[in-house]
Amino acid sequence: MALCKGVLLFIFQAIVCFCFFNSSQGNQQFSLRNLPPLQKASSFPATRPETYDYIVVGGGTAGCPLAATLSLKYRVLLLERGGSPYGNRNVSYMENFHIGLSNMAPDSASQAFVSTDGVINARARVLGGGTCINAGFYSRASSSFIQEVGWDEDLVKESFPWVEDKIVQWPKIAPWQAALRDGLLQAGVSPFNGYTYDHVSGTKVGGTIFDESGYRHTAADLLAAGNPSNLRVLLHASVHKIVFNSQQGRLKPRATGVQFADENGRLHQAFLNSNRDSEVIVSAGAIGSPQLLLLSGIGPKNDLKNHNIPVVLHNKYVGTGMADNPMNSIFIPTKSPPRQSLIEIVGITEAGVFIEASSGFGQSSESIHCHHGIMSAEIGQLSTIPPKQRSLQKAQKYAHTKLNLPKEIFQGGFILEKIDGPLSTGHLALIDTDVRNNPAVTFNYFNHPQDLTRCVYGIKTIERILKTNRFSELAADNAGFSMERVLNMSVQANVNLIPKHTNDTESLEQFCRDTVITIWHYHGGCHVGKVVDRQHRVLGVSGVRVVDGSTFSRSPGTNPQATVMMMGRYFGVKILRERLGQAAVCN
């Protein structure tokens, strides 16, 4: 498969410009000049290494704000397995959004994986994590979610604006998004709540991490809010395992550091200092965090022994309860190609279904010359071929057939429906002991009948939207859209590896099952009360916490990035207050 090439790679030097952002508080100024140096992992000293108060594994959506906050008072080492987002056009510009996801190069910002369900997915491999490869939509968790997880509501209310003032602003509504807004309201998804970060029923405009020029601001930017003298950031540092001191007579195994490989494959070991409050904090995401605990010897003992991993602690729950919010998309052909837009509007229904939209593809030179391969956002490949029958020859035949598809299938936009808090869950298990490789992940989409019922509700809501006057105006013949026609086109255009059925457009339940895709809101694997306690300390050992979406039983809000970034800040402040008292100063 051809890989995306020709991406311009710029050397990241001292950033001397100021970035201005709009937020709920008005215009504010935030400078990236205080970013700590972003060093290659090979720069880590082989002899006489320094020790740290905190080692944060994963410089992603939660890890960056967490490390920045802790560095205000303590020495922090942040280890990120990917590279820098700065100077990477696939990350930084909205027009290259689909290329960033499609790029299957070993050093790309996105690492593809296919769940055992047959759904193509992606996990971030870059400083800034999922904020570097997502659709940019910013919306807070509901108040009920905050109450369910037991967080301090006052600290939550302080932590959200800390993120928003730095990297979030209001979008300039694109035409396709305006059409969805009007269609939602005409279809009864009301009231209109205007511009708001809050999770409220009805139709609203959310925030975005893209600025007016289409430039993406990410969680990596939040590192500039830390103390660069206390914060060391290493890139291309793949953590192989957490190292424990399991001396006989010790009540609990205690983390003493981590072992990681640099970009050349050379192994290093980073150590915590001797302070009893020092910790390794795992923020590697819902795939990486349970994977790292397993590789470190924490998990089901029989599974660990099968991979010859020494058992540090038997815990049968590590990797269980994995879930992903299932999404189904309806392709809508239009008179003319709509301008590119990602998520800006959301309809929040009382039935636990969210309606969003996207449109268009980037028009940059990279878009023209790059072959997107199996991760193509334009058209699914091999989706009609059962998994065991797939081959390179059939892939080539499919690519040839793709050339004969009607032009209209590339001219239009998508309306998306996704399920909030799916009741269907699965699991994660190691395939091998190479941390660079994806584990086996199963989500069991639509195994629970209630999830399927809600999907059908979502498809019927989209049908009501298409019958509104607002969408009738967009149809090529001004006569509106036939639901059977758009369902048929959506079956062809869908991106997954699930074999299709002949009755996909007759049975909405079958359509949901066969065309399910993801919007990367997977979570679980390190649940509170099973793998970590309410302070997110790993049960049964000392000196280890997990702070990321792997601890969630459901994904927060319509899109999780707002809450996960807030979570990093929240736990950073909480830890400082635990050690220094309520008067701990946090900038």
Side-chain angles (χ1 to χ4, degrees), residues 31 197 369 394 402 522:
S31 172
Y197 298 144
H369 296 297
K394 288 183 178 180
K402 174 179 172 179
Y522 45 82

Side-chain angles (χ1 to χ4, degrees), residues 95-254:
E95 65 182 3
N96 291 334
F97 166 71
H98 61 294
I99 297 175
L101 286 173
S102 306
N103 189 353
M104 297 182 71
D107 59 349
S108 67
S110 174
Q111 181 179 6
F113 71 95
V114 180
S115 71
T116 63
D117 315 275
V119 174
I120 296 172
N121 215 315
R123 52 190 293 219
R125 183 172 49 196
V126 61
L127 186 70
T131 64
C132 296
I133 63 173
N134 66 16
F137 192 65
Y138 184 96
S139 185
R140 296 178 177 182
S142 64
S143 57
S144 62
F145 178 91
I146 301 301
Q147 292 166 4
E148 287 172 15
V149 297
W151 291 346
D152 180 327
E153 294 182 41
D154 290 336
L155 182 53
V156 167
K157 290 176 182 177
E158 295 172 16
S159 300
F160 270 124
W162 182 86
V163 174
E164 292 153 6
D165 292 348
K166 296 171 177 60
I167 65 169
V168 186
Q169 60 182 268
W170 300 119
K172 184 177 181 181
I173 304 302
W176 185 252
Q177 301 294 322
L180 176 69
R181 176 196 61 203
D182 298 343
L184 281 165
L185 293 171
Q186 291 176 18
V189 184
S190 58
F192 179 56
N193 295 304
Y195 290 75
T196 180
Y197 298 144
D198 293 335
H199 186 93
V200 284
S201 295
T203 295
K204 74 164 194 171
V205 183
T208 180
I209 57 175
F210 289 103
D211 64 23
E212 289 188 0
S213 68
Y215 184 86
R216 181 193 295 269
H217 301 277
T218 76
D221 295 0
L222 301 176
L223 292 172
N227 179 353
S229 299
N230 274 347
L231 180 56
R232 183 167 195 172
V233 181
L234 296 183
L235 304 179
H236 305 292
S238 297
V239 176
H240 286 199
K241 64 179 180 179
I242 303 166
V243 179
F244 290 92
N245 181 347
S246 302
Q247 289 179 348
Q248 190 172 7
R250 184 181 289 274
L251 293 177
K252 292 181 180 180
R254 176 166 185 80

Side-chain angles (χ1 to χ4, degrees), residues 117-118 382-388 390 496-502 504 510 513-515:
D117 315 275
L382 304 179
S383 60
T384 58
I385 304 173
K388 292 183 180 179
R390 292 171 195 146
N496 71 29
L497 303 183
I498 298 173
K500 304 300 181 281
H501 294 76
T502 57
D504 276 340
Q510 195 64 57
R513 290 191 184 97
D514 286 359
T515 65

Side-chain angles (χ1 to χ4, degrees), residues 5 11 141 154 193 196 200 228 426 431 454-455 478 481 484 499 512 514 517 523 566 586:
K5 296 181 179 179
I11 298 175
D154 290 336
N193 295 304
T196 180
V200 284
I431 295 175
R454 288 191 289 170
C455 177
N478 293 316
F481 298 98
E484 182 177 0
C512 288
D514 286 359
I517 53 177
H523 50 281
M566 181 281 294
C586 294

Side-chain angles (χ1 to χ4, degrees), residues 447-519:
N447 264 22
H448 196 287
Q450 188 172 326
D451 294 343
L452 199 57
T453 299
R454 288 191 289 170
C455 177
V456 170
Y457 177 91
I459 300 298
K460 289 182 176 179
T461 302
I462 294 176
E463 184 175 14
R464 295 203 310 272
I465 294 169
L466 294 182
K467 290 180 178 178
T468 63
N469 293 335
R470 186 67 171 88
F471 270 83
S472 294
E473 298 168 358
L474 299 175
D477 54 5
N478 293 316
F481 298 98
S482 159
M483 195 62 180
E484 182 177 0
R485 178 183 177 225
V486 297
L487 288 178
N488 269 319
M489 295 187 73
S490 298
V491 170
Q492 295 179 61
N494 205 271
V495 182
N496 71 29
L497 303 183
I498 298 173
K500 304 300 181 281
H501 294 76
T502 57
N503 65 334
D504 276 340
T505 60
E506 298 172 11
S507 165
L508 292 184
E509 288 84 358
Q510 195 64 57
F511 177 86
C512 288
R513 290 191 184 97
D514 286 359
T515 65
V516 63
I517 53 177
T518 182
I519 198 164

Side-chain angles (χ1 to χ4, degrees), residues 20 97 296 458 481 513 532 582:
F20 297 88
F97 166 71
S296 303
F481 298 98
R513 290 191 184 97
V532 299
Q582 287 294 114

